[in-house]
Each structure stands twice: as C-alpha cells, then as structure tokens.
Amino acid sequence: VVREIHQLINPQTYFNFYNTVVHGITEFDVRNAPTFDDFYAEMLPYLDDIVVAHNAMFDISCLRATLLRYDIAPPDFNYLCTLCMSKKISGLKSRKLDALARYYGLGEFNHHNALADAKMSARVFEILSERIDIEPMKKSFRDNPKPQKKKLLTPIQQSLFLIEREEKHERERRKHTPQSELIFDYSP
C-alpha cells in the first residue's frame, strides 16, 4: 500500500436500502460529505499506476458511471482484481474477500468498509501475486468500454420510477401466483 484515503461521498441520488444494509452508510451519514466532483481532484493521485480491488468490475463500473455523470475525463491507470486472481487458485471454497482473508489467516476486518476492504485486498493481492502471473490479468481503465450516459432523474422522477417498478413486480407476482394461494379462510 503506497497511500490510503477514506472519504464518504454524497451521491446526490436515491439511497437504496440494500446498499445501506450492506455498508451501513445512510443518507444522514453523507449529508455534509463532499460530492464526487468536489472530491475528485484529491482522489485522482490514487488512480495511477496499478489500482487493486476485490470484485474490481463493480468498482470500476461505478467509477466509470460517476465520471460520465460529472463529465470528467477518465484517468489513465491499470487495475487488477483479487476476485479474478483468486479464480486461478484451486481448492478455494469461496472467493469472497472475507473468505480469502480467513483462508490465508489474515485476521478479522470490518468487511464492506471501503478502507478496510482496500487494505485487505492489498494483503490478499500480495499473497496471490506470489502464486500467479499477474501481467496478463492487468486491465486498462481507459481501454475498456465506456458506459452509456444515463439521464439524471429528479427525486420525484426517481420515486415515480421506483413505484412503477414495484407495481410491475407486484403484477408479475400476482400473474404467476396461483389464485388458491391468495384465498385465505379464517373460519373456525
């Protein structure tokens, strides 16, 4: 690890409850946090040479989408994924970051905390890079496909979208649920 940084970012968008369950970060936690475009200049020096992440495809896709949202030119760096690297090692029952930490005896950590995950990914990377050839696994951030720019929705539009999506799921559920399961008999 050359440098480390930890900063909550206000995404200025809808907060999905699932994400809060996974990471424990709420809208309240980020209410005074900087936005991505405000913090990017401070973050940019960390995006050079090689960036390592576990399940990097997710992190990279989020970074790409956010750069696109704020119309920021993509930086030039290579990245490696410890999840992909772990697939080259046989005998692993799970390739999740916490499972790899246990497998290699790296101790407990605050899983799904960004800084703790990054530090553990670095430790797992050190172990895996001694066991496999990482050169062919390097990917260029700039060379990979760019996401399509998504239309930004206002909070009201986001709410309407979510309501419509829930109504659609409910219609699909009812369509595929036998009517006998929907009839309740409360007689004694």
Side-chain angles (χ1 to χ4, degrees), residues 11-47:
Q12 297 181 305
T13 189
Y14 167 75
F15 247 70
N16 185 312
F17 176 72
Y18 173 75
N19 294 335
T20 299
V21 169
V22 171
H23 300 284
I25 300 169
T26 67
E27 288 179 88
F28 185 80
D29 296 328
V30 300
R31 70 193 180 288
N32 297 319
T35 59
F36 181 84
D37 57 334
D38 289 336
F39 188 71
Y40 181 68
E42 193 171 331
M43 185 179 95
L44 187 57
Y46 294 84
L47 299 176

PDB file of all heavy atoms in Angstrom, residues 11-47:
ATOM      1  N   PRO A  11     -23.742  11.046  -2.838  1.00  0.00           N
ATOM      2  CA  PRO A  11     -24.019  10.679  -4.227  1.00  0.00           C
ATOM      3  C   PRO A  11     -25.086  11.552  -4.893  1.00  0.00           C
ATOM      4  O   PRO A  11     -25.278  11.467  -6.091  1.00  0.00           O
ATOM      5  CB  PRO A  11     -24.493   9.233  -4.121  1.00  0.00           C
ATOM      6  CG  PRO A  11     -25.103   9.152  -2.771  1.00  0.00           C
ATOM      7  CD  PRO A  11     -24.290  10.079  -1.894  1.00  0.00           C
ATOM      8  N   GLN A  12     -25.773  12.346  -4.123  1.00  0.00           N
ATOM      9  CA  GLN A  12     -26.832  13.218  -4.648  1.00  0.00           C
ATOM     10  C   GLN A  12     -27.851  12.430  -5.462  1.00  0.00           C
ATOM     11  O   GLN A  12     -28.287  12.860  -6.525  1.00  0.00           O
ATOM     12  CB  GLN A  12     -26.251  14.327  -5.514  1.00  0.00           C
ATOM     13  CG  GLN A  12     -25.337  15.258  -4.758  1.00  0.00           C
ATOM     14  CD  GLN A  12     -24.805  16.358  -5.645  1.00  0.00           C
ATOM     15  OE1 GLN A  12     -24.210  16.095  -6.689  1.00  0.00           O
ATOM     16  NE2 GLN A  12     -25.015  17.588  -5.236  1.00  0.00           N
ATOM     17  N   THR A  13     -28.204  11.260  -4.959  1.00  0.00           N
ATOM     18  CA  THR A  13     -29.160  10.416  -5.656  1.00  0.00           C
ATOM     19  C   THR A  13     -29.895   9.548  -4.637  1.00  0.00           C
ATOM     20  O   THR A  13     -29.581   9.568  -3.446  1.00  0.00           O
ATOM     21  CB  THR A  13     -28.457   9.559  -6.732  1.00  0.00           C
ATOM     22  OG1 THR A  13     -29.446   8.914  -7.529  1.00  0.00           O
ATOM     23  CG2 THR A  13     -27.539   8.522  -6.131  1.00  0.00           C
ATOM     24  N   TYR A  14     -30.819   8.777  -5.128  1.00  0.00           N
ATOM     25  CA  TYR A  14     -31.614   7.874  -4.303  1.00  0.00           C
ATOM     26  C   TYR A  14     -30.712   6.903  -3.535  1.00  0.00           C
ATOM     27  O   TYR A  14     -29.759   6.371  -4.085  1.00  0.00           O
ATOM     28  CB  TYR A  14     -32.576   7.104  -5.221  1.00  0.00           C
ATOM     29  CG  TYR A  14     -33.249   5.930  -4.572  1.00  0.00           C
ATOM     30  CD1 TYR A  14     -34.276   6.111  -3.664  1.00  0.00           C
ATOM     31  CD2 TYR A  14     -32.851   4.640  -4.856  1.00  0.00           C
ATOM     32  CE1 TYR A  14     -34.894   5.041  -3.066  1.00  0.00           C
ATOM     33  CE2 TYR A  14     -33.459   3.549  -4.264  1.00  0.00           C
ATOM     34  CZ  TYR A  14     -34.481   3.760  -3.372  1.00  0.00           C
ATOM     35  OH  TYR A  14     -35.081   2.688  -2.778  1.00  0.00           O
ATOM     36  N   PHE A  15     -31.034   6.683  -2.274  1.00  0.00           N
ATOM     37  CA  PHE A  15     -30.302   5.737  -1.433  1.00  0.00           C
ATOM     38  C   PHE A  15     -31.071   4.426  -1.407  1.00  0.00           C
ATOM     39  O   PHE A  15     -32.155   4.344  -0.857  1.00  0.00           O
ATOM     40  CB  PHE A  15     -30.181   6.287   0.006  1.00  0.00           C
ATOM     41  CG  PHE A  15     -28.793   6.633   0.398  1.00  0.00           C
ATOM     42  CD1 PHE A  15     -28.150   7.713  -0.164  1.00  0.00           C
ATOM     43  CD2 PHE A  15     -28.113   5.889   1.338  1.00  0.00           C
ATOM     44  CE1 PHE A  15     -26.860   8.046   0.189  1.00  0.00           C
ATOM     45  CE2 PHE A  15     -26.828   6.205   1.702  1.00  0.00           C
ATOM     46  CZ  PHE A  15     -26.195   7.294   1.126  1.00  0.00           C
ATOM     47  N   ASN A  16     -30.495   3.393  -1.987  1.00  0.00           N
ATOM     48  CA  ASN A  16     -31.117   2.086  -1.998  1.00  0.00           C
ATOM     49  C   ASN A  16     -30.920   1.440  -0.623  1.00  0.00           C
ATOM     50  O   ASN A  16     -29.793   1.368  -0.118  1.00  0.00           O
ATOM     51  CB  ASN A  16     -30.474   1.225  -3.094  1.00  0.00           C
ATOM     52  CG  ASN A  16     -31.148  -0.109  -3.261  1.00  0.00           C
ATOM     53  OD1 ASN A  16     -31.409  -0.815  -2.293  1.00  0.00           O
ATOM     54  ND2 ASN A  16     -31.422  -0.473  -4.491  1.00  0.00           N
ATOM     55  N   PHE A  17     -31.998   0.953  -0.034  1.00  0.00           N
ATOM     56  CA  PHE A  17     -31.937   0.352   1.293  1.00  0.00           C
ATOM     57  C   PHE A  17     -30.960  -0.812   1.334  1.00  0.00           C
ATOM     58  O   PHE A  17     -30.254  -1.005   2.316  1.00  0.00           O
ATOM     59  CB  PHE A  17     -33.331  -0.105   1.733  1.00  0.00           C
ATOM     60  CG  PHE A  17     -33.326  -0.817   3.058  1.00  0.00           C
ATOM     61  CD1 PHE A  17     -33.124  -0.113   4.233  1.00  0.00           C
ATOM     62  CD2 PHE A  17     -33.489  -2.186   3.127  1.00  0.00           C
ATOM     63  CE1 PHE A  17     -33.094  -0.764   5.458  1.00  0.00           C
ATOM     64  CE2 PHE A  17     -33.462  -2.841   4.354  1.00  0.00           C
ATOM     65  CZ  PHE A  17     -33.270  -2.126   5.520  1.00  0.00           C
ATOM     66  N   TYR A  18     -30.893  -1.587   0.256  1.00  0.00           N
ATOM     67  CA  TYR A  18     -29.980  -2.737   0.209  1.00  0.00           C
ATOM     68  C   TYR A  18     -28.535  -2.287   0.428  1.00  0.00           C
ATOM     69  O   TYR A  18     -27.788  -2.912   1.159  1.00  0.00           O
ATOM     70  CB  TYR A  18     -30.112  -3.478  -1.121  1.00  0.00           C
ATOM     71  CG  TYR A  18     -29.078  -4.560  -1.286  1.00  0.00           C
ATOM     72  CD1 TYR A  18     -29.177  -5.759  -0.588  1.00  0.00           C
ATOM     73  CD2 TYR A  18     -27.966  -4.370  -2.100  1.00  0.00           C
ATOM     74  CE1 TYR A  18     -28.220  -6.746  -0.711  1.00  0.00           C
ATOM     75  CE2 TYR A  18     -27.000  -5.353  -2.234  1.00  0.00           C
ATOM     76  CZ  TYR A  18     -27.135  -6.536  -1.538  1.00  0.00           C
ATOM     77  OH  TYR A  18     -26.179  -7.505  -1.658  1.00  0.00           O
ATOM     78  N   ASN A  19     -28.150  -1.195  -0.200  1.00  0.00           N
ATOM     79  CA  ASN A  19     -26.789  -0.690  -0.027  1.00  0.00           C
ATOM     80  C   ASN A  19     -26.530  -0.283   1.417  1.00  0.00           C
ATOM     81  O   ASN A  19     -25.436  -0.504   1.940  1.00  0.00           O
ATOM     82  CB  ASN A  19     -26.523   0.489  -0.974  1.00  0.00           C
ATOM     83  CG  ASN A  19     -26.542   0.060  -2.421  1.00  0.00           C
ATOM     84  OD1 ASN A  19     -26.304  -1.089  -2.746  1.00  0.00           O
ATOM     85  ND2 ASN A  19     -26.854   0.988  -3.302  1.00  0.00           N
ATOM     86  N   THR A  20     -27.517   0.300   2.056  1.00  0.00           N
ATOM     87  CA  THR A  20     -27.369   0.677   3.460  1.00  0.00           C
ATOM     88  C   THR A  20     -27.195  -0.562   4.331  1.00  0.00           C
ATOM     89  O   THR A  20     -26.376  -0.570   5.247  1.00  0.00           O
ATOM     90  CB  THR A  20     -28.586   1.507   3.933  1.00  0.00           C
ATOM     91  OG1 THR A  20     -28.649   2.704   3.151  1.00  0.00           O
ATOM     92  CG2 THR A  20     -28.473   1.867   5.395  1.00  0.00           C
ATOM     93  N   VAL A  21     -27.919  -1.625   4.017  1.00  0.00           N
ATOM     94  CA  VAL A  21     -27.791  -2.870   4.780  1.00  0.00           C
ATOM     95  C   VAL A  21     -26.372  -3.427   4.632  1.00  0.00           C
ATOM     96  O   VAL A  21     -25.761  -3.858   5.607  1.00  0.00           O
ATOM     97  CB  VAL A  21     -28.845  -3.910   4.319  1.00  0.00           C
ATOM     98  CG1 VAL A  21     -28.561  -5.278   4.905  1.00  0.00           C
ATOM     99  CG2 VAL A  21     -30.236  -3.457   4.701  1.00  0.00           C
ATOM    100  N   VAL A  22     -25.836  -3.408   3.421  1.00  0.00           N
ATOM    101  CA  VAL A  22     -24.502  -3.965   3.169  1.00  0.00           C
ATOM    102  C   VAL A  22     -23.412  -3.123   3.821  1.00  0.00           C
ATOM    103  O   VAL A  22     -22.540  -3.641   4.510  1.00  0.00           O
ATOM    104  CB  VAL A  22     -24.239  -4.098   1.644  1.00  0.00           C
ATOM    105  CG1 VAL A  22     -22.792  -4.457   1.375  1.00  0.00           C
ATOM    106  CG2 VAL A  22     -25.167  -5.148   1.050  1.00  0.00           C
ATOM    107  N   HIS A  23     -23.448  -1.820   3.604  1.00  0.00           N
ATOM    108  CA  HIS A  23     -22.349  -0.950   4.033  1.00  0.00           C
ATOM    109  C   HIS A  23     -22.613  -0.199   5.337  1.00  0.00           C
ATOM    110  O   HIS A  23     -21.676   0.334   5.925  1.00  0.00           O
ATOM    111  CB  HIS A  23     -22.015   0.079   2.940  1.00  0.00           C
ATOM    112  CG  HIS A  23     -21.608  -0.561   1.665  1.00  0.00           C
ATOM    113  ND1 HIS A  23     -20.371  -1.125   1.495  1.00  0.00           N
ATOM    114  CD2 HIS A  23     -22.262  -0.752   0.496  1.00  0.00           C
ATOM    115  CE1 HIS A  23     -20.284  -1.625   0.286  1.00  0.00           C
ATOM    116  NE2 HIS A  23     -21.420  -1.419  -0.343  1.00  0.00           N
ATOM    117  N   GLY A  24     -23.863  -0.100   5.740  1.00  0.00           N
ATOM    118  CA  GLY A  24     -24.188   0.629   6.956  1.00  0.00           C
ATOM    119  C   GLY A  24     -24.140   2.142   6.782  1.00  0.00           C
ATOM    120  O   GLY A  24     -24.220   2.887   7.756  1.00  0.00           O
ATOM    121  N   ILE A  25     -24.027   2.627   5.561  1.00  0.00           N
ATOM    122  CA  ILE A  25     -23.963   4.067   5.307  1.00  0.00           C
ATOM    123  C   ILE A  25     -25.356   4.557   4.953  1.00  0.00           C
ATOM    124  O   ILE A  25     -26.008   4.004   4.067  1.00  0.00           O
ATOM    125  CB  ILE A  25     -22.972   4.383   4.163  1.00  0.00           C
ATOM    126  CG1 ILE A  25     -21.567   3.890   4.525  1.00  0.00           C
ATOM    127  CG2 ILE A  25     -22.956   5.881   3.858  1.00  0.00           C
ATOM    128  CD1 ILE A  25     -20.583   3.926   3.362  1.00  0.00           C
ATOM    129  N   THR A  26     -25.808   5.582   5.643  1.00  0.00           N
ATOM    130  CA  THR A  26     -27.143   6.125   5.422  1.00  0.00           C
ATOM    131  C   THR A  26     -27.064   7.501   4.763  1.00  0.00           C
ATOM    132  O   THR A  26     -25.992   8.109   4.703  1.00  0.00           O
ATOM    133  CB  THR A  26     -27.899   6.271   6.757  1.00  0.00           C
ATOM    134  OG1 THR A  26     -27.240   7.274   7.537  1.00  0.00           O
ATOM    135  CG2 THR A  26     -27.947   4.954   7.521  1.00  0.00           C
ATOM    136  N   GLU A  27     -28.217   7.977   4.315  1.00  0.00           N
ATOM    137  CA  GLU A  27     -28.282   9.339   3.755  1.00  0.00           C
ATOM    138  C   GLU A  27     -27.819  10.355   4.797  1.00  0.00           C
ATOM    139  O   GLU A  27     -27.171  11.338   4.463  1.00  0.00           O
ATOM    140  CB  GLU A  27     -29.707   9.656   3.303  1.00  0.00           C
ATOM    141  CG  GLU A  27     -30.127   8.911   2.064  1.00  0.00           C
ATOM    142  CD  GLU A  27     -31.548   9.225   1.653  1.00  0.00           C
ATOM    143  OE1 GLU A  27     -31.734  10.201   0.904  1.00  0.00           O
ATOM    144  OE2 GLU A  27     -32.445   8.477   2.080  1.00  0.00           O
ATOM    145  N   PHE A  28     -28.149  10.110   6.055  1.00  0.00           N
ATOM    146  CA  PHE A  28     -27.749  11.007   7.135  1.00  0.00           C
ATOM    147  C   PHE A  28     -26.223  11.086   7.243  1.00  0.00           C
ATOM    148  O   PHE A  28     -25.659  12.147   7.469  1.00  0.00           O
ATOM    149  CB  PHE A  28     -28.358  10.530   8.464  1.00  0.00           C
ATOM    150  CG  PHE A  28     -28.098  11.463   9.612  1.00  0.00           C
ATOM    151  CD1 PHE A  28     -28.854  12.602   9.778  1.00  0.00           C
ATOM    152  CD2 PHE A  28     -27.082  11.193  10.519  1.00  0.00           C
ATOM    153  CE1 PHE A  28     -28.607  13.472  10.837  1.00  0.00           C
ATOM    154  CE2 PHE A  28     -26.827  12.047  11.573  1.00  0.00           C
ATOM    155  CZ  PHE A  28     -27.598  13.201  11.730  1.00  0.00           C
ATOM    156  N   ASP A  29     -25.559   9.952   7.057  1.00  0.00           N
ATOM    157  CA  ASP A  29     -24.096   9.903   7.160  1.00  0.00           C
ATOM    158  C   ASP A  29     -23.402  10.778   6.125  1.00  0.00           C
ATOM    159  O   ASP A  29     -22.298  11.272   6.372  1.00  0.00           O
ATOM    160  CB  ASP A  29     -23.585   8.465   7.007  1.00  0.00           C
ATOM    161  CG  ASP A  29     -24.059   7.538   8.108  1.00  0.00           C
ATOM    162  OD1 ASP A  29     -24.231   8.006   9.249  1.00  0.00           O
ATOM    163  OD2 ASP A  29     -24.259   6.340   7.818  1.00  0.00           O
ATOM    164  N   VAL A  30     -24.013  10.934   4.959  1.00  0.00           N
ATOM    165  CA  VAL A  30     -23.353  11.671   3.875  1.00  0.00           C
ATOM    166  C   VAL A  30     -23.931  13.068   3.655  1.00  0.00           C
ATOM    167  O   VAL A  30     -23.543  13.750   2.713  1.00  0.00           O
ATOM    168  CB  VAL A  30     -23.390  10.876   2.543  1.00  0.00           C
ATOM    169  CG1 VAL A  30     -22.686   9.536   2.699  1.00  0.00           C
ATOM    170  CG2 VAL A  30     -24.802  10.704   2.031  1.00  0.00           C
ATOM    171  N   ARG A  31     -24.811  13.495   4.523  1.00  0.00           N
ATOM    172  CA  ARG A  31     -25.496  14.772   4.305  1.00  0.00           C
ATOM    173  C   ARG A  31     -24.536  15.948   4.172  1.00  0.00           C
ATOM    174  O   ARG A  31     -24.796  16.873   3.418  1.00  0.00           O
ATOM    175  CB  ARG A  31     -26.516  15.027   5.411  1.00  0.00           C
ATOM    176  CG  ARG A  31     -25.894  15.338   6.758  1.00  0.00           C
ATOM    177  CD  ARG A  31     -26.896  15.283   7.904  1.00  0.00           C
ATOM    178  NE  ARG A  31     -26.279  15.576   9.182  1.00  0.00           N
ATOM    179  CZ  ARG A  31     -25.454  14.771   9.837  1.00  0.00           C
ATOM    180  NH1 ARG A  31     -25.150  13.595   9.329  1.00  0.00           N
ATOM    181  NH2 ARG A  31     -24.939  15.122  10.994  1.00  0.00           N
ATOM    182  N   ASN A  32     -23.402  15.924   4.858  1.00  0.00           N
ATOM    183  CA  ASN A  32     -22.419  17.005   4.773  1.00  0.00           C
ATOM    184  C   ASN A  32     -21.143  16.594   4.036  1.00  0.00           C
ATOM    185  O   ASN A  32     -20.165  17.343   4.040  1.00  0.00           O
ATOM    186  CB  ASN A  32     -22.057  17.499   6.177  1.00  0.00           C
ATOM    187  CG  ASN A  32     -23.253  18.100   6.890  1.00  0.00           C
ATOM    188  OD1 ASN A  32     -24.036  18.823   6.291  1.00  0.00           O
ATOM    189  ND2 ASN A  32     -23.415  17.780   8.167  1.00  0.00           N
ATOM    190  N   ALA A  33     -21.167  15.417   3.439  1.00  0.00           N
ATOM    191  CA  ALA A  33     -19.984  14.923   2.724  1.00  0.00           C
ATOM    192  C   ALA A  33     -19.860  15.633   1.375  1.00  0.00           C
ATOM    193  O   ALA A  33     -20.853  16.086   0.806  1.00  0.00           O
ATOM    194  CB  ALA A  33     -20.098  13.408   2.510  1.00  0.00           C
ATOM    195  N   PRO A  34     -18.631  15.710   0.853  1.00  0.00           N
ATOM    196  CA  PRO A  34     -18.469  16.330  -0.467  1.00  0.00           C
ATOM    197  C   PRO A  34     -19.088  15.459  -1.558  1.00  0.00           C
ATOM    198  O   PRO A  34     -19.251  14.249  -1.384  1.00  0.00           O
ATOM    199  CB  PRO A  34     -16.950  16.412  -0.629  1.00  0.00           C
ATOM    200  CG  PRO A  34     -16.408  15.348   0.255  1.00  0.00           C
ATOM    201  CD  PRO A  34     -17.363  15.235   1.406  1.00  0.00           C
ATOM    202  N   THR A  35     -19.412  16.087  -2.674  1.00  0.00           N
ATOM    203  CA  THR A  35     -19.877  15.334  -3.831  1.00  0.00           C
ATOM    204  C   THR A  35     -18.644  14.809  -4.567  1.00  0.00           C
ATOM    205  O   THR A  35     -17.522  15.250  -4.304  1.00  0.00           O
ATOM    206  CB  THR A  35     -20.710  16.220  -4.774  1.00  0.00           C
ATOM    207  OG1 THR A  35     -19.896  17.308  -5.203  1.00  0.00           O
ATOM    208  CG2 THR A  35     -21.967  16.722  -4.080  1.00  0.00           C
ATOM    209  N   PHE A  36     -18.858  13.884  -5.475  1.00  0.00           N
ATOM    210  CA  PHE A  36     -17.736  13.287  -6.199  1.00  0.00           C
ATOM    211  C   PHE A  36     -16.922  14.340  -6.934  1.00  0.00           C
ATOM    212  O   PHE A  36     -15.695  14.341  -6.868  1.00  0.00           O
ATOM    213  CB  PHE A  36     -18.237  12.226  -7.185  1.00  0.00           C
ATOM    214  CG  PHE A  36     -17.129  11.564  -7.948  1.00  0.00           C
ATOM    215  CD1 PHE A  36     -16.434  10.507  -7.399  1.00  0.00           C
ATOM    216  CD2 PHE A  36     -16.769  12.009  -9.212  1.00  0.00           C
ATOM    217  CE1 PHE A  36     -15.398   9.893  -8.087  1.00  0.00           C
ATOM    218  CE2 PHE A  36     -15.738  11.408  -9.913  1.00  0.00           C
ATOM    219  CZ  PHE A  36     -15.050  10.342  -9.348  1.00  0.00           C
ATOM    220  N   ASP A  37     -17.601  15.245  -7.632  1.00  0.00           N
ATOM    221  CA  ASP A  37     -16.863  16.242  -8.408  1.00  0.00           C
ATOM    222  C   ASP A  37     -16.079  17.201  -7.515  1.00  0.00           C
ATOM    223  O   ASP A  37     -15.037  17.715  -7.913  1.00  0.00           O
ATOM    224  CB  ASP A  37     -17.775  17.001  -9.377  1.00  0.00           C
ATOM    225  CG  ASP A  37     -18.947  17.696  -8.704  1.00  0.00           C
ATOM    226  OD1 ASP A  37     -19.376  17.257  -7.619  1.00  0.00           O
ATOM    227  OD2 ASP A  37     -19.450  18.674  -9.278  1.00  0.00           O
ATOM    228  N   ASP A  38     -16.547  17.415  -6.282  1.00  0.00           N
ATOM    229  CA  ASP A  38     -15.795  18.257  -5.338  1.00  0.00           C
ATOM    230  C   ASP A  38     -14.548  17.541  -4.814  1.00  0.00           C
ATOM    231  O   ASP A  38     -13.546  18.174  -4.510  1.00  0.00           O
ATOM    232  CB  ASP A  38     -16.668  18.656  -4.146  1.00  0.00           C
ATOM    233  CG  ASP A  38     -17.748  19.665  -4.502  1.00  0.00           C
ATOM    234  OD1 ASP A  38     -17.556  20.393  -5.506  1.00  0.00           O
ATOM    235  OD2 ASP A  38     -18.767  19.705  -3.800  1.00  0.00           O
ATOM    236  N   PHE A  39     -14.622  16.219  -4.692  1.00  0.00           N
ATOM    237  CA  PHE A  39     -13.539  15.454  -4.073  1.00  0.00           C
ATOM    238  C   PHE A  39     -12.576  14.835  -5.084  1.00  0.00           C
ATOM    239  O   PHE A  39     -11.475  14.419  -4.727  1.00  0.00           O
ATOM    240  CB  PHE A  39     -14.140  14.346  -3.194  1.00  0.00           C
ATOM    241  CG  PHE A  39     -13.131  13.631  -2.361  1.00  0.00           C
ATOM    242  CD1 PHE A  39     -12.529  14.254  -1.279  1.00  0.00           C
ATOM    243  CD2 PHE A  39     -12.748  12.340  -2.680  1.00  0.00           C
ATOM    244  CE1 PHE A  39     -11.582  13.595  -0.518  1.00  0.00           C
ATOM    245  CE2 PHE A  39     -11.802  11.673  -1.917  1.00  0.00           C
ATOM    246  CZ  PHE A  39     -11.217  12.305  -0.836  1.00  0.00           C
ATOM    247  N   TYR A  40     -12.954  14.789  -6.337  1.00  0.00           N
ATOM    248  CA  TYR A  40     -12.191  14.059  -7.352  1.00  0.00           C
ATOM    249  C   TYR A  40     -10.724  14.493  -7.442  1.00  0.00           C
ATOM    250  O   TYR A  40      -9.831  13.649  -7.559  1.00  0.00           O
ATOM    251  CB  TYR A  40     -12.867  14.177  -8.716  1.00  0.00           C
ATOM    252  CG  TYR A  40     -12.151  13.422  -9.797  1.00  0.00           C
ATOM    253  CD1 TYR A  40     -12.110  12.031  -9.777  1.00  0.00           C
ATOM    254  CD2 TYR A  40     -11.489  14.079 -10.823  1.00  0.00           C
ATOM    255  CE1 TYR A  40     -11.444  11.317 -10.766  1.00  0.00           C
ATOM    256  CE2 TYR A  40     -10.816  13.375 -11.808  1.00  0.00           C
ATOM    257  CZ  TYR A  40     -10.797  11.997 -11.774  1.00  0.00           C
ATOM    258  OH  TYR A  40     -10.130  11.295 -12.742  1.00  0.00           O
ATOM    259  N   ALA A  41     -10.455  15.784  -7.392  1.00  0.00           N
ATOM    260  CA  ALA A  41      -9.066  16.265  -7.512  1.00  0.00           C
ATOM    261  C   ALA A  41      -8.188  15.683  -6.405  1.00  0.00           C
ATOM    262  O   ALA A  41      -7.024  15.352  -6.636  1.00  0.00           O
ATOM    263  CB  ALA A  41      -9.022  17.788  -7.486  1.00  0.00           C
ATOM    264  N   GLU A  42      -8.752  15.507  -5.211  1.00  0.00           N
ATOM    265  CA  GLU A  42      -7.992  14.934  -4.098  1.00  0.00           C
ATOM    266  C   GLU A  42      -7.812  13.423  -4.278  1.00  0.00           C
ATOM    267  O   GLU A  42      -6.817  12.849  -3.840  1.00  0.00           O
ATOM    268  CB  GLU A  42      -8.710  15.221  -2.774  1.00  0.00           C
ATOM    269  CG  GLU A  42      -7.865  14.949  -1.562  1.00  0.00           C
ATOM    270  CD  GLU A  42      -8.514  15.443  -0.279  1.00  0.00           C
ATOM    271  OE1 GLU A  42      -9.285  16.406  -0.319  1.00  0.00           O
ATOM    272  OE2 GLU A  42      -8.230  14.831   0.764  1.00  0.00           O
ATOM    273  N   MET A  43      -8.766  12.797  -4.943  1.00  0.00           N
ATOM    274  CA  MET A  43      -8.719  11.350  -5.153  1.00  0.00           C
ATOM    275  C   MET A  43      -7.831  10.957  -6.335  1.00  0.00           C
ATOM    276  O   MET A  43      -7.247   9.872  -6.347  1.00  0.00           O
ATOM    277  CB  MET A  43     -10.149  10.856  -5.404  1.00  0.00           C
ATOM    278  CG  MET A  43     -10.302   9.369  -5.513  1.00  0.00           C
ATOM    279  SD  MET A  43     -12.019   8.910  -5.774  1.00  0.00           S
ATOM    280  CE  MET A  43     -12.064   8.791  -7.545  1.00  0.00           C
ATOM    281  N   LEU A  44      -7.717  11.812  -7.319  1.00  0.00           N
ATOM    282  CA  LEU A  44      -7.022  11.491  -8.569  1.00  0.00           C
ATOM    283  C   LEU A  44      -5.601  10.946  -8.389  1.00  0.00           C
ATOM    284  O   LEU A  44      -5.236   9.988  -9.077  1.00  0.00           O
ATOM    285  CB  LEU A  44      -7.011  12.711  -9.497  1.00  0.00           C
ATOM    286  CG  LEU A  44      -6.466  12.482 -10.900  1.00  0.00           C
ATOM    287  CD1 LEU A  44      -7.225  11.371 -11.618  1.00  0.00           C
ATOM    288  CD2 LEU A  44      -6.516  13.780 -11.695  1.00  0.00           C
ATOM    289  N   PRO A  45      -4.789  11.474  -7.471  1.00  0.00           N
ATOM    290  CA  PRO A  45      -3.435  10.916  -7.323  1.00  0.00           C
ATOM    291  C   PRO A  45      -3.420   9.430  -6.934  1.00  0.00           C
ATOM    292  O   PRO A  45      -2.416   8.754  -7.128  1.00  0.00           O
ATOM    293  CB  PRO A  45      -2.809  11.772  -6.219  1.00  0.00           C
ATOM    294  CG  PRO A  45      -3.578  13.043  -6.229  1.00  0.00           C
ATOM    295  CD  PRO A  45      -4.968  12.667  -6.645  1.00  0.00           C
ATOM    296  N   TYR A  46      -4.515   8.917  -6.413  1.00  0.00           N
ATOM    297  CA  TYR A  46      -4.589   7.500  -6.032  1.00  0.00           C
ATOM    298  C   TYR A  46      -4.900   6.610  -7.233  1.00  0.00           C
ATOM    299  O   TYR A  46      -4.816   5.398  -7.153  1.00  0.00           O
ATOM    300  CB  TYR A  46      -5.658   7.303  -4.951  1.00  0.00           C
ATOM    301  CG  TYR A  46      -5.298   7.981  -3.652  1.00  0.00           C
ATOM    302  CD1 TYR A  46      -5.572   9.326  -3.451  1.00  0.00           C
ATOM    303  CD2 TYR A  46      -4.657   7.279  -2.638  1.00  0.00           C
ATOM    304  CE1 TYR A  46      -5.230   9.956  -2.273  1.00  0.00           C
ATOM    305  CE2 TYR A  46      -4.307   7.899  -1.457  1.00  0.00           C
ATOM    306  CZ  TYR A  46      -4.595   9.238  -1.282  1.00  0.00           C
ATOM    307  OH  TYR A  46      -4.239   9.858  -0.116  1.00  0.00           O
ATOM    308  N   LEU A  47      -5.297   7.220  -8.333  1.00  0.00           N
ATOM    309  CA  LEU A  47      -5.664   6.467  -9.527  1.00  0.00           C
ATOM    310  C   LEU A  47      -4.534   6.532 -10.548  1.00  0.00           C
ATOM    311  O   LEU A  47      -4.681   7.053 -11.648  1.00  0.00           O
ATOM    312  CB  LEU A  47      -6.958   7.032 -10.132  1.00  0.00           C
ATOM    313  CG  LEU A  47      -8.183   6.978  -9.225  1.00  0.00           C
ATOM    314  CD1 LEU A  47      -9.367   7.657  -9.894  1.00  0.00           C
ATOM    315  CD2 LEU A  47      -8.521   5.550  -8.843  1.00  0.00           C
TER     316      LEU A  47
END
